[in-house]
Amino acid sequence: MARWCAEQGWPVHPLASGRKTPVANCPSCKDKHHSPAMCACLSAGLPCHGFHAATTSATRIDAWWSAFPSWGVGVACGRADLIVIDIDAHSAPVPDRNRLLPGIPIHDSVNLHGLASGFDTLALLAALRGQPSPAEDDSTLRVRTPSGGLHVWYRNPHPATRFRCSTGSSRKVALAWQVDVRADGGYIVAPATRTAQGTYLREGPARLPAPLPEWLGGELVRTGHTTQRQRPPVPSRPAIPRGRRPRTAARAHRILDPLLLDVTECAATSEGAAFTQKLNKAAYTAGGLTAAGHLDEHTARALLREAAETARSGQTARNERIINDALAAGSAHPLHLEGRS
Ligand SMILES: [Zn+2]
Ligand SMILES: [Zn+2]
């Protein structure tokens, strides 16, 4: 499984035998407090520092798992461009209804009787957006956990946009109660890993992650899961064709992402949020970035649509008109990034 994951371009690292946590650090890494970037173990091929040790190198993988065949497999989500929705089914007291879906007040008339797990809160969020629940998404890799939870694996369709991890109980960033998000700075247990509680088993027909649905990407943006941090280049990563993504795309996204977020956040209020004005501004800027060659038009259009649909889903044709007009207007004024930070 470790080799198979690496063949998908996903860096892997060992999990302690029978557990879902990484193998322990070596004694020197345990004692010294140093950053993984400064650690000699990693360049020497020792699996210290959890997912920081993750690799796609077949030689290193064979060395690790032939020495310790009982080690489980972790996948470093961020470097793999994976976003995994981790649905829990723990028995826990249900919190106040306003904490079930952060940012979405649930009216008193909504009957929450029987709501018990992350499966229910995620289904509720999906229903509010008129979408099927990711738990039922058989187009993508899903993995049943020994405790009855489900990992729904997606790949990031816009890798320049980075997503952070969260836990469903967080008061700062969360998607839904009992639903965790694994992305940059996190790892996920690969299917077929055995623990004392049981084996992580693939469920349904899909063997590979599908692209993150646009609506779900919008929800992650709305709930504050995007980060501006740029990840460092990873030399060991196999060359995966990325299309004609311009080299300056990361800088373009740094300018565009906050404007898209402004649009997405209009979802919180149905009126008086200056939605049109914000969508106009984002699309006009995207047009300028596209005309200057910093962004490809397809990506720009997809991001604008996603943000607009998240905020105002009932008016697709109108959103499309605003986007078209503003993209055209912006493209008449190429936005050059030279000299901008
Ligand atoms: Zn170390
Ligand atoms: Zn070490």
Side-chain angles (χ1 to χ4, degrees):
M1 185 47 67
R3 281 289 289 270
W4 181 82
C5 289
E7 281 158 17
Q8 314 308 314
W10 309 335
V12 291
H13 62 100
L15 303 180
S17 301
R19 310 185 59 130
K20 58 179 183 179
T21 46
V23 295
N25 281 356
C26 74
S28 110
C29 287
K30 217 172 267 175
D31 300 341
K32 288 180 202 149
H33 294 284
H34 54 237
S35 80
M38 306 301 289
C39 181
C41 292
L42 298 186
S43 40
L46 292 173
C48 294
H49 303 284
F51 70 84
H52 294 283
T55 182
T56 55
S57 153
T59 318
R60 189 166 291 184
I61 289 168
D62 289 349
W64 284 342
W65 275 278
S66 59
F68 297 96
S70 65
W71 275 355
V73 179
V75 173
C77 298
R79 281 166 56 202
D81 286 334
L82 290 170
I83 297 151
V84 179
I85 308 299
D86 175 359
I87 309 167
D88 286 331
H90 300 142
S91 51
V94 177
D96 183 84
R97 59 172 63 220
N98 288 323
R99 292 198 57 209
L100 293 171
L101 296 176
I104 301 179
I106 299 172
H107 194 264
D108 287 341
S109 65
V110 178
N111 182 0
L112 297 177
H113 183 76
L115 182 139
S117 72
F119 289 95
D120 302 321
T121 52
L122 194 58
L124 181 60
L125 176 62
L128 287 171
R129 300 307 186 222
Q131 301 288 341
S133 174
E136 312 295 330
D137 186 353
D138 61 12
S139 75
T140 198
L141 173 63
R142 287 173 301 160
V143 178
R144 182 65 60 173
T145 74
S147 59
L150 190 71
H151 294 166
V152 187
W153 294 46
Y154 288 113
R155 69 183 168 75
N156 184 349
H158 313 293
T161 304
R162 306 309 306 172
F163 294 96
R164 70 173 91 233
C165 293
S166 71
T167 55
S169 56
S170 164
R171 285 180 181 271
K172 287 182 188 150
V173 176
L175 181 63
W177 178 67
Q178 289 226 0
V179 177
D180 300 345
V181 175
R182 308 290 183 84
D184 285 9
Y187 71 94
I188 191 75
V189 179
T193 288
R194 270 169 214 279
T195 67
Q197 285 69 43
T199 304
Y200 287 73
L201 291 173
R202 192 166 60 82
E203 185 159 292
R207 304 189 64 86
L208 289 169
L212 182 74
E214 295 289 320
W215 77 268
L216 191 51
E219 292 304 310
L220 292 175
V221 173
R222 177 185 62 78
T223 47
H225 284 81
T226 40
T227 58
Q228 303 302 318
R229 184 170 60 82
Q230 296 303 308
R231 60 188 178 149
V234 179
S236 67
R237 194 188 164 90
I240 292 171
R242 288 288 179 92
R244 293 178 297 111
R245 196 144 66 85
R247 216 173 286 192
T248 46
R251 293 173 67 198
H253 281 282
R254 235 174 291 158
I255 294 169
L256 187 57
D257 286 355
L259 302 178
L260 290 168
L261 187 59
D262 286 346
V263 174
T264 313
E265 282 174 348
C266 294
T269 37
S270 58
E271 274 172 75
F275 166 78
T276 304
Q277 193 188 331
K278 287 170 181 171
L279 181 57
N280 247 318
K281 186 175 176 191
Y284 182 90
T285 306
L289 291 166
T290 305
H294 301 302
L295 196 66
D296 74 83
E297 191 183 332
H298 178 78
T299 306
R301 206 170 267 282
L303 290 169
L304 290 162
R305 270 191 199 132
E306 172 184 329
E309 279 298 303
T310 305
R312 298 288 183 269
S313 59
Q315 49 174 55
T316 308
R318 181 167 176 269
N319 293 345
E320 199 68 11
R321 260 198 319 277
I322 301 172
I323 292 171
N324 280 336
D325 292 352
L327 269 177
S331 65
H333 303 275
L335 188 51
H336 298 288
L337 298 180
E338 285 76 20
R340 292 174 64 129
S341 58

